[in-house]
Amino acid sequence: MIAEVAQATKDSLSLNPINRWVWVFPIVESIHICGFTLLVGTVALLDLRLSDLALTRQSIPQLQRSLAPWIHLGIAVQFVTGPYLFTASPHDYIHNPSFRMKMMFLAAALLFHFTVVRGAARQSRGPTVLWRRLIALVSIGLWIGVILGGLGIGFWSVND
Ligand code: HEM
C-alpha cells in the first residue's frame, strides 16, 4: 500500500510541468523573486515612513492606503508561485531547515503586518515616533528573515 502511494506520488511529481520541462522552475522562481521584490519593497517604504525617515510629505494613513493594493498583489504572487515551486520537490522542501525557518518568519511577518503595522499606520494620531520606529524595525527584520530563509533553501539540501 505505502509503496503504491509512494509510486503514485512519484508518478504525479514527474507529470507536474515544473518537473517535466527544465525551463518552468526558473521562470516561476523569477516571478517569485519579482513578487518578493514588490512585496518587501512596498513594506519597506511603509516602514521608512512609519519611522519618519522618508516620504514625510505624505501622511502615514494616506501612504498606507496607496501602498496596500501593491502589498496585497505581492502577497498574492508569492502565494501562487511559492506553493507551485514547492510542488517541484515537496519531500525535500519539508525537510529543508531553511524552508521551515522561512515559513515561520513568513507567518510572523504576515501576522505582524496585518495587526501591529497596519494598526499603527491607520491611526491619524498614532503611537509616538519611538514606538513607530520599533514597529518598523521588527517588521523589516521579520521580512529579512523570510528572504534569508528563501535564499538559504538552495544552500541546504537533504541529500548532503
Ligand atoms: C510571501 C513571501 C515570500 C517571500 C518574501 C519569499 C522569498 C523567497 C526567496 C528570496 C527565495 C529564493 C530565491 C532564490 O533562490 O533566488 C524563495 C524561493 C522559494 N520560495 Fe519563497 N517567498 C515567499 C513565499 C513563499 C511561499 C508561501 C512558499 C511556499 C509555500 C515559498 C516557497 C519557495 C520555494 C519552494 C522556493 C525555491 C527554493 C529553491 O529551490 O531555490 N515561498 N522565496
Side-chain angles (χ1 to χ4, degrees):
M1 173 64 185
I2 293 173
E4 276 97 26
V5 171
Q7 188 53 47
T9 315
K10 208 154 175 273
D11 294 346
S12 67
L13 280 178
S14 63
L15 289 174
N16 183 348
I18 207 164
N19 291 324
R20 285 189 73 182
W21 296 295
V22 69
W23 46 268
V24 175
F25 189 96
I27 288 179
V28 178
E29 186 155 43
S30 305
I31 301 170
H32 197 66
I33 292 169
C34 296
F36 95 67
T37 310
L38 172 67
L39 169 58
V40 181
T42 43
V43 165
L45 284 179
L46 184 58
D47 289 338
L48 284 171
R49 178 64 191 89
L50 264 179
S51 318
D52 283 356
L53 292 174
L55 304 164
T56 46
R57 268 190 248 133
Q58 278 193 64
S59 74
I60 298 175
Q62 199 183 7
L63 186 71
Q64 190 273 330
R65 277 194 301 276
S66 41
L67 289 176
W70 299 104
I71 292 175
H72 298 159
L73 176 64
I75 292 171
V77 170
Q78 294 310 85
F79 276 88
V80 170
T81 53
Y84 189 50
L85 288 170
F86 181 81
T87 65
S89 179
H91 177 267
D92 288 350
Y93 288 127
I94 283 173
H95 292 94
N96 186 311
S98 197
F99 180 80
R100 292 182 187 185
M101 183 189 97
K102 175 184 170 186
M103 290 299 120
M104 281 191 283
F105 270 105
L106 181 55
L110 288 170
L111 188 67
F112 193 75
H113 180 79
F114 285 106
T115 54
V116 181
V117 174
R118 215 163 61 164
R122 281 187 167 177
Q123 295 168 36
S124 47
R125 290 190 60 73
T128 63
V129 67
L130 203 62
W131 268 114
R132 284 192 271 120
R133 284 188 174 159
L134 190 63
I135 291 168
L137 206 60
V138 173
S139 165
I140 209 65
L142 290 172
W143 287 107
I144 289 172
V146 178
I147 293 172
L148 292 178
L151 292 172
I153 295 172
F155 295 104
W156 243 293
S157 101
V158 289
N159 303 318
D160 289 349

